[in-house]
Amino acid sequence: MKNVRRKPEGSAITEMGPALFILLILIFFPMMNLIQIGAAYALANTYHQYISREIAFKRPELSSAAISKVNTEVDANSLFQFVRIVGRTVDSVQFLDKNGAVVSGLPAAGDTSDAARATRNSIAQVRVQTTMTVSPYITIPFFASIPGLGAPVPFRVSSDRPQDEKGLN
C-alpha cells in the first residue's frame, strides 16, 4: 500500500459543523435572550417608576385612574412593544403615614369632611409593588426550564415614594 499524505487545507471544513452548533445554539441565541431580558428589566423598572410617580402626584382616591392612564400610555407609544411581555400588573398600592403604618379607609372622591381631611393629611408615603413577566425572545429547547433562556421570568419591583398630592387643595 502506498502511503498517501493528506493535505491540511481541507481539515477545517469538518470542524465547521460542531463549531457552528456551539456558536449558535450555546452562545449566540442565549446571548440574544440575555440582552433582551436585560432590556426588559430596565423597562420593568421604568414602568414601576412611572406608575409610582403618577400615583404619588394624584390624590389617593384616584390611584386606579392613574394606573389605567399609565397603562394606556405605555401600550400606545413605548419600547414595550419590542419586549415579549406576558403579564404586567400592579400588585399593591398602600398609603403610609409618618410612622410607616398603612392608612386604611381612604375617603371617596369629593369628600370634604373633616375626617376625610384628617385621613388625607396623615398620608406621608405611597408604597407600590408591580410585577412584569417577560418571555424570552428565542426559546431554546436545551434551556426550557431556565427562566430568561427558555421560560418566562417575572420582575417584581417595590418602592416607597413621598405622597405629593393629598387632595387638600
Side-chain angles (χ1 to χ4, degrees), residues 17-46:
L20 278 178
F21 175 78
I22 291 171
L23 283 175
L24 292 179
I25 302 299
L26 299 178
I27 295 174
F28 181 71
F29 292 127
M31 187 62 67
M32 294 271 298
N33 281 345
L34 290 177
I35 291 170
Q36 185 253 347
I37 292 298
Y41 174 75
L43 289 174
N45 194 20
T46 302

PDB file of all heavy atoms in Angstrom, residues 17-46:
ATOM      1  N   GLY A  17     -19.159  22.216  11.337  1.00  0.00           N
ATOM      2  CA  GLY A  17     -20.465  21.812  11.891  1.00  0.00           C
ATOM      3  C   GLY A  17     -20.526  21.902  13.404  1.00  0.00           C
ATOM      4  O   GLY A  17     -21.403  22.589  13.956  1.00  0.00           O
ATOM      5  N   PRO A  18     -19.632  21.238  14.128  1.00  0.00           N
ATOM      6  CA  PRO A  18     -19.657  21.365  15.593  1.00  0.00           C
ATOM      7  C   PRO A  18     -19.381  22.794  16.075  1.00  0.00           C
ATOM      8  O   PRO A  18     -19.951  23.238  17.070  1.00  0.00           O
ATOM      9  CB  PRO A  18     -18.561  20.423  16.062  1.00  0.00           C
ATOM     10  CG  PRO A  18     -18.350  19.470  14.942  1.00  0.00           C
ATOM     11  CD  PRO A  18     -18.696  20.218  13.701  1.00  0.00           C
ATOM     12  N   ALA A  19     -18.551  23.526  15.368  1.00  0.00           N
ATOM     13  CA  ALA A  19     -18.252  24.895  15.776  1.00  0.00           C
ATOM     14  C   ALA A  19     -19.481  25.793  15.616  1.00  0.00           C
ATOM     15  O   ALA A  19     -19.776  26.619  16.482  1.00  0.00           O
ATOM     16  CB  ALA A  19     -17.086  25.445  14.971  1.00  0.00           C
ATOM     17  N   LEU A  20     -20.230  25.638  14.528  1.00  0.00           N
ATOM     18  CA  LEU A  20     -21.448  26.414  14.342  1.00  0.00           C
ATOM     19  C   LEU A  20     -22.499  26.062  15.384  1.00  0.00           C
ATOM     20  O   LEU A  20     -23.217  26.931  15.874  1.00  0.00           O
ATOM     21  CB  LEU A  20     -22.010  26.200  12.935  1.00  0.00           C
ATOM     22  CG  LEU A  20     -21.376  27.028  11.839  1.00  0.00           C
ATOM     23  CD1 LEU A  20     -21.993  26.676  10.493  1.00  0.00           C
ATOM     24  CD2 LEU A  20     -21.527  28.492  12.109  1.00  0.00           C
ATOM     25  N   PHE A  21     -22.599  24.766  15.707  1.00  0.00           N
ATOM     26  CA  PHE A  21     -23.538  24.344  16.739  1.00  0.00           C
ATOM     27  C   PHE A  21     -23.208  25.035  18.067  1.00  0.00           C
ATOM     28  O   PHE A  21     -24.089  25.595  18.720  1.00  0.00           O
ATOM     29  CB  PHE A  21     -23.499  22.823  16.906  1.00  0.00           C
ATOM     30  CG  PHE A  21     -24.362  22.333  18.026  1.00  0.00           C
ATOM     31  CD1 PHE A  21     -25.730  22.230  17.866  1.00  0.00           C
ATOM     32  CD2 PHE A  21     -23.809  21.991  19.251  1.00  0.00           C
ATOM     33  CE1 PHE A  21     -26.536  21.795  18.898  1.00  0.00           C
ATOM     34  CE2 PHE A  21     -24.595  21.541  20.290  1.00  0.00           C
ATOM     35  CZ  PHE A  21     -25.964  21.448  20.112  1.00  0.00           C
ATOM     36  N   ILE A  22     -21.956  25.011  18.442  1.00  0.00           N
ATOM     37  CA  ILE A  22     -21.551  25.627  19.710  1.00  0.00           C
ATOM     38  C   ILE A  22     -21.761  27.133  19.665  1.00  0.00           C
ATOM     39  O   ILE A  22     -22.277  27.731  20.608  1.00  0.00           O
ATOM     40  CB  ILE A  22     -20.092  25.267  20.038  1.00  0.00           C
ATOM     41  CG1 ILE A  22     -20.003  23.779  20.381  1.00  0.00           C
ATOM     42  CG2 ILE A  22     -19.552  26.110  21.171  1.00  0.00           C
ATOM     43  CD1 ILE A  22     -18.596  23.257  20.510  1.00  0.00           C
ATOM     44  N   LEU A  23     -21.383  27.767  18.568  1.00  0.00           N
ATOM     45  CA  LEU A  23     -21.520  29.215  18.471  1.00  0.00           C
ATOM     46  C   LEU A  23     -22.976  29.666  18.465  1.00  0.00           C
ATOM     47  O   LEU A  23     -23.349  30.600  19.177  1.00  0.00           O
ATOM     48  CB  LEU A  23     -20.811  29.738  17.227  1.00  0.00           C
ATOM     49  CG  LEU A  23     -19.297  29.835  17.314  1.00  0.00           C
ATOM     50  CD1 LEU A  23     -18.726  30.248  15.974  1.00  0.00           C
ATOM     51  CD2 LEU A  23     -18.889  30.833  18.376  1.00  0.00           C
ATOM     52  N   LEU A  24     -23.807  29.027  17.661  1.00  0.00           N
ATOM     53  CA  LEU A  24     -25.188  29.479  17.521  1.00  0.00           C
ATOM     54  C   LEU A  24     -26.075  29.049  18.679  1.00  0.00           C
ATOM     55  O   LEU A  24     -26.748  29.866  19.299  1.00  0.00           O
ATOM     56  CB  LEU A  24     -25.774  28.985  16.201  1.00  0.00           C
ATOM     57  CG  LEU A  24     -25.182  29.600  14.943  1.00  0.00           C
ATOM     58  CD1 LEU A  24     -25.831  29.003  13.716  1.00  0.00           C
ATOM     59  CD2 LEU A  24     -25.345  31.095  14.947  1.00  0.00           C
ATOM     60  N   ILE A  25     -26.091  27.765  18.969  1.00  0.00           N
ATOM     61  CA  ILE A  25     -27.035  27.235  19.946  1.00  0.00           C
ATOM     62  C   ILE A  25     -26.594  27.515  21.375  1.00  0.00           C
ATOM     63  O   ILE A  25     -27.416  27.837  22.239  1.00  0.00           O
ATOM     64  CB  ILE A  25     -27.243  25.721  19.732  1.00  0.00           C
ATOM     65  CG1 ILE A  25     -27.741  25.440  18.320  1.00  0.00           C
ATOM     66  CG2 ILE A  25     -28.198  25.145  20.762  1.00  0.00           C
ATOM     67  CD1 ILE A  25     -29.070  26.080  17.990  1.00  0.00           C
ATOM     68  N   LEU A  26     -25.333  27.418  21.655  1.00  0.00           N
ATOM     69  CA  LEU A  26     -24.875  27.547  23.036  1.00  0.00           C
ATOM     70  C   LEU A  26     -24.364  28.939  23.396  1.00  0.00           C
ATOM     71  O   LEU A  26     -24.244  29.252  24.576  1.00  0.00           O
ATOM     72  CB  LEU A  26     -23.784  26.511  23.320  1.00  0.00           C
ATOM     73  CG  LEU A  26     -24.226  25.054  23.169  1.00  0.00           C
ATOM     74  CD1 LEU A  26     -23.061  24.124  23.434  1.00  0.00           C
ATOM     75  CD2 LEU A  26     -25.375  24.741  24.098  1.00  0.00           C
ATOM     76  N   ILE A  27     -24.077  29.793  22.409  1.00  0.00           N
ATOM     77  CA  ILE A  27     -23.539  31.117  22.743  1.00  0.00           C
ATOM     78  C   ILE A  27     -24.405  32.241  22.167  1.00  0.00           C
ATOM     79  O   ILE A  27     -24.869  33.105  22.902  1.00  0.00           O
ATOM     80  CB  ILE A  27     -22.077  31.252  22.257  1.00  0.00           C
ATOM     81  CG1 ILE A  27     -21.194  30.272  23.021  1.00  0.00           C
ATOM     82  CG2 ILE A  27     -21.582  32.678  22.433  1.00  0.00           C
ATOM     83  CD1 ILE A  27     -19.777  30.210  22.540  1.00  0.00           C
ATOM     84  N   PHE A  28     -24.664  32.250  20.867  1.00  0.00           N
ATOM     85  CA  PHE A  28     -25.310  33.397  20.227  1.00  0.00           C
ATOM     86  C   PHE A  28     -26.763  33.584  20.664  1.00  0.00           C
ATOM     87  O   PHE A  28     -27.154  34.667  21.105  1.00  0.00           O
ATOM     88  CB  PHE A  28     -25.227  33.261  18.702  1.00  0.00           C
ATOM     89  CG  PHE A  28     -25.852  34.402  17.968  1.00  0.00           C
ATOM     90  CD1 PHE A  28     -25.249  35.645  17.964  1.00  0.00           C
ATOM     91  CD2 PHE A  28     -27.053  34.249  17.300  1.00  0.00           C
ATOM     92  CE1 PHE A  28     -25.821  36.709  17.303  1.00  0.00           C
ATOM     93  CE2 PHE A  28     -27.635  35.301  16.637  1.00  0.00           C
ATOM     94  CZ  PHE A  28     -27.019  36.537  16.637  1.00  0.00           C
ATOM     95  N   PHE A  29     -27.606  32.549  20.550  1.00  0.00           N
ATOM     96  CA  PHE A  29     -29.020  32.689  20.885  1.00  0.00           C
ATOM     97  C   PHE A  29     -29.247  32.911  22.382  1.00  0.00           C
ATOM     98  O   PHE A  29     -30.087  33.751  22.750  1.00  0.00           O
ATOM     99  CB  PHE A  29     -29.825  31.503  20.363  1.00  0.00           C
ATOM    100  CG  PHE A  29     -29.889  31.462  18.859  1.00  0.00           C
ATOM    101  CD1 PHE A  29     -29.535  30.326  18.161  1.00  0.00           C
ATOM    102  CD2 PHE A  29     -30.291  32.572  18.144  1.00  0.00           C
ATOM    103  CE1 PHE A  29     -29.587  30.289  16.780  1.00  0.00           C
ATOM    104  CE2 PHE A  29     -30.340  32.550  16.754  1.00  0.00           C
ATOM    105  CZ  PHE A  29     -29.996  31.403  16.074  1.00  0.00           C
ATOM    106  N   PRO A  30     -28.533  32.216  23.286  1.00  0.00           N
ATOM    107  CA  PRO A  30     -28.683  32.588  24.701  1.00  0.00           C
ATOM    108  C   PRO A  30     -28.232  34.019  24.994  1.00  0.00           C
ATOM    109  O   PRO A  30     -28.820  34.705  25.831  1.00  0.00           O
ATOM    110  CB  PRO A  30     -27.804  31.577  25.443  1.00  0.00           C
ATOM    111  CG  PRO A  30     -27.760  30.396  24.548  1.00  0.00           C
ATOM    112  CD  PRO A  30     -27.780  30.973  23.162  1.00  0.00           C
ATOM    113  N   MET A  31     -27.214  34.496  24.295  1.00  0.00           N
ATOM    114  CA  MET A  31     -26.772  35.875  24.498  1.00  0.00           C
ATOM    115  C   MET A  31     -27.842  36.855  24.019  1.00  0.00           C
ATOM    116  O   MET A  31     -28.069  37.886  24.658  1.00  0.00           O
ATOM    117  CB  MET A  31     -25.457  36.121  23.757  1.00  0.00           C
ATOM    118  CG  MET A  31     -24.846  37.465  24.040  1.00  0.00           C
ATOM    119  SD  MET A  31     -24.404  37.698  25.761  1.00  0.00           S
ATOM    120  CE  MET A  31     -23.108  36.511  25.941  1.00  0.00           C
ATOM    121  N   MET A  32     -28.526  36.541  22.923  1.00  0.00           N
ATOM    122  CA  MET A  32     -29.637  37.382  22.461  1.00  0.00           C
ATOM    123  C   MET A  32     -30.730  37.437  23.521  1.00  0.00           C
ATOM    124  O   MET A  32     -31.290  38.501  23.798  1.00  0.00           O
ATOM    125  CB  MET A  32     -30.205  36.844  21.145  1.00  0.00           C
ATOM    126  CG  MET A  32     -29.272  36.919  19.973  1.00  0.00           C
ATOM    127  SD  MET A  32     -29.407  38.447  19.094  1.00  0.00           S
ATOM    128  CE  MET A  32     -31.078  38.399  18.544  1.00  0.00           C
ATOM    129  N   ASN A  33     -31.045  36.281  24.118  1.00  0.00           N
ATOM    130  CA  ASN A  33     -32.062  36.246  25.171  1.00  0.00           C
ATOM    131  C   ASN A  33     -31.630  37.063  26.378  1.00  0.00           C
ATOM    132  O   ASN A  33     -32.446  37.773  26.970  1.00  0.00           O
ATOM    133  CB  ASN A  33     -32.348  34.808  25.595  1.00  0.00           C
ATOM    134  CG  ASN A  33     -33.252  34.099  24.616  1.00  0.00           C
ATOM    135  OD1 ASN A  33     -33.887  34.720  23.780  1.00  0.00           O
ATOM    136  ND2 ASN A  33     -33.304  32.793  24.713  1.00  0.00           N
ATOM    137  N   LEU A  34     -30.381  36.958  26.770  1.00  0.00           N
ATOM    138  CA  LEU A  34     -29.909  37.696  27.936  1.00  0.00           C
ATOM    139  C   LEU A  34     -29.922  39.206  27.691  1.00  0.00           C
ATOM    140  O   LEU A  34     -30.240  39.982  28.597  1.00  0.00           O
ATOM    141  CB  LEU A  34     -28.517  37.223  28.328  1.00  0.00           C
ATOM    142  CG  LEU A  34     -28.459  35.810  28.906  1.00  0.00           C
ATOM    143  CD1 LEU A  34     -27.024  35.405  29.185  1.00  0.00           C
ATOM    144  CD2 LEU A  34     -29.298  35.702  30.158  1.00  0.00           C
ATOM    145  N   ILE A  35     -29.602  39.626  26.488  1.00  0.00           N
ATOM    146  CA  ILE A  35     -29.679  41.050  26.157  1.00  0.00           C
ATOM    147  C   ILE A  35     -31.127  41.526  26.217  1.00  0.00           C
ATOM    148  O   ILE A  35     -31.435  42.590  26.761  1.00  0.00           O
ATOM    149  CB  ILE A  35     -29.047  41.323  24.777  1.00  0.00           C
ATOM    150  CG1 ILE A  35     -27.537  41.120  24.847  1.00  0.00           C
ATOM    151  CG2 ILE A  35     -29.387  42.723  24.274  1.00  0.00           C
ATOM    152  CD1 ILE A  35     -26.855  41.133  23.504  1.00  0.00           C
ATOM    153  N   GLN A  36     -32.041  40.725  25.682  1.00  0.00           N
ATOM    154  CA  GLN A  36     -33.456  41.078  25.711  1.00  0.00           C
ATOM    155  C   GLN A  36     -33.988  41.099  27.134  1.00  0.00           C
ATOM    156  O   GLN A  36     -34.765  41.991  27.501  1.00  0.00           O
ATOM    157  CB  GLN A  36     -34.255  40.097  24.854  1.00  0.00           C
ATOM    158  CG  GLN A  36     -35.713  40.435  24.719  1.00  0.00           C
ATOM    159  CD  GLN A  36     -36.622  39.513  25.504  1.00  0.00           C
ATOM    160  OE1 GLN A  36     -36.215  38.467  25.984  1.00  0.00           O
ATOM    161  NE2 GLN A  36     -37.855  39.910  25.642  1.00  0.00           N
ATOM    162  N   ILE A  37     -33.570  40.176  27.980  1.00  0.00           N
ATOM    163  CA  ILE A  37     -34.016  40.142  29.372  1.00  0.00           C
ATOM    164  C   ILE A  37     -33.457  41.354  30.124  1.00  0.00           C
ATOM    165  O   ILE A  37     -34.130  41.930  30.981  1.00  0.00           O
ATOM    166  CB  ILE A  37     -33.602  38.814  30.038  1.00  0.00           C
ATOM    167  CG1 ILE A  37     -34.382  37.648  29.418  1.00  0.00           C
ATOM    168  CG2 ILE A  37     -33.789  38.847  31.537  1.00  0.00           C
ATOM    169  CD1 ILE A  37     -35.873  37.720  29.603  1.00  0.00           C
ATOM    170  N   GLY A  38     -32.233  41.765  29.816  1.00  0.00           N
ATOM    171  CA  GLY A  38     -31.679  42.971  30.430  1.00  0.00           C
ATOM    172  C   GLY A  38     -32.475  44.211  30.059  1.00  0.00           C
ATOM    173  O   GLY A  38     -32.756  45.067  30.905  1.00  0.00           O
ATOM    174  N   ALA A  39     -32.860  44.309  28.792  1.00  0.00           N
ATOM    175  CA  ALA A  39     -33.691  45.432  28.358  1.00  0.00           C
ATOM    176  C   ALA A  39     -35.067  45.364  29.007  1.00  0.00           C
ATOM    177  O   ALA A  39     -35.637  46.393  29.399  1.00  0.00           O
ATOM    178  CB  ALA A  39     -33.818  45.435  26.837  1.00  0.00           C
ATOM    179  N   ALA A  40     -35.610  44.161  29.161  1.00  0.00           N
ATOM    180  CA  ALA A  40     -36.914  44.004  29.805  1.00  0.00           C
ATOM    181  C   ALA A  40     -36.857  44.399  31.271  1.00  0.00           C
ATOM    182  O   ALA A  40     -37.804  44.990  31.802  1.00  0.00           O
ATOM    183  CB  ALA A  40     -37.394  42.563  29.667  1.00  0.00           C
ATOM    184  N   TYR A  41     -35.752  44.094  31.947  1.00  0.00           N
ATOM    185  CA  TYR A  41     -35.602  44.512  33.342  1.00  0.00           C
ATOM    186  C   TYR A  41     -35.591  46.031  33.454  1.00  0.00           C
ATOM    187  O   TYR A  41     -36.233  46.605  34.338  1.00  0.00           O
ATOM    188  CB  TYR A  41     -34.324  43.934  33.945  1.00  0.00           C
ATOM    189  CG  TYR A  41     -34.050  44.457  35.330  1.00  0.00           C
ATOM    190  CD1 TYR A  41     -34.789  43.995  36.410  1.00  0.00           C
ATOM    191  CD2 TYR A  41     -33.097  45.429  35.546  1.00  0.00           C
ATOM    192  CE1 TYR A  41     -34.565  44.493  37.675  1.00  0.00           C
ATOM    193  CE2 TYR A  41     -32.871  45.930  36.807  1.00  0.00           C
ATOM    194  CZ  TYR A  41     -33.598  45.458  37.877  1.00  0.00           C
ATOM    195  OH  TYR A  41     -33.380  45.958  39.120  1.00  0.00           O
ATOM    196  N   ALA A  42     -34.877  46.681  32.550  1.00  0.00           N
ATOM    197  CA  ALA A  42     -34.837  48.145  32.562  1.00  0.00           C
ATOM    198  C   ALA A  42     -36.234  48.718  32.302  1.00  0.00           C
ATOM    199  O   ALA A  42     -36.641  49.690  32.951  1.00  0.00           O
ATOM    200  CB  ALA A  42     -33.843  48.651  31.530  1.00  0.00           C
ATOM    201  N   LEU A  43     -36.986  48.119  31.394  1.00  0.00           N
ATOM    202  CA  LEU A  43     -38.340  48.586  31.113  1.00  0.00           C
ATOM    203  C   LEU A  43     -39.283  48.298  32.277  1.00  0.00           C
ATOM    204  O   LEU A  43     -40.196  49.093  32.543  1.00  0.00           O
ATOM    205  CB  LEU A  43     -38.858  47.959  29.824  1.00  0.00           C
ATOM    206  CG  LEU A  43     -38.187  48.471  28.550  1.00  0.00           C
ATOM    207  CD1 LEU A  43     -38.668  47.694  27.340  1.00  0.00           C
ATOM    208  CD2 LEU A  43     -38.436  49.950  28.371  1.00  0.00           C
ATOM    209  N   ALA A  44     -39.103  47.178  32.975  1.00  0.00           N
ATOM    210  CA  ALA A  44     -39.927  46.884  34.153  1.00  0.00           C
ATOM    211  C   ALA A  44     -39.679  47.917  35.242  1.00  0.00           C
ATOM    212  O   ALA A  44     -40.621  48.386  35.899  1.00  0.00           O
ATOM    213  CB  ALA A  44     -39.632  45.482  34.667  1.00  0.00           C
ATOM    214  N   ASN A  45     -38.433  48.300  35.427  1.00  0.00           N
ATOM    215  CA  ASN A  45     -38.115  49.320  36.414  1.00  0.00           C
ATOM    216  C   ASN A  45     -38.679  50.680  35.990  1.00  0.00           C
ATOM    217  O   ASN A  45     -39.214  51.428  36.812  1.00  0.00           O
ATOM    218  CB  ASN A  45     -36.603  49.406  36.607  1.00  0.00           C
ATOM    219  CG  ASN A  45     -36.233  50.194  37.827  1.00  0.00           C
ATOM    220  OD1 ASN A  45     -37.036  50.380  38.729  1.00  0.00           O
ATOM    221  ND2 ASN A  45     -35.012  50.680  37.858  1.00  0.00           N
ATOM    222  N   THR A  46     -38.590  51.003  34.715  1.00  0.00           N
ATOM    223  CA  THR A  46     -39.146  52.254  34.205  1.00  0.00           C
ATOM    224  C   THR A  46     -40.655  52.291  34.374  1.00  0.00           C
ATOM    225  O   THR A  46     -41.223  53.305  34.795  1.00  0.00           O
ATOM    226  CB  THR A  46     -38.782  52.441  32.722  1.00  0.00           C
ATOM    227  OG1 THR A  46     -37.367  52.414  32.601  1.00  0.00           O
ATOM    228  CG2 THR A  46     -39.336  53.730  32.165  1.00  0.00           C
TER     229      THR A  46
END
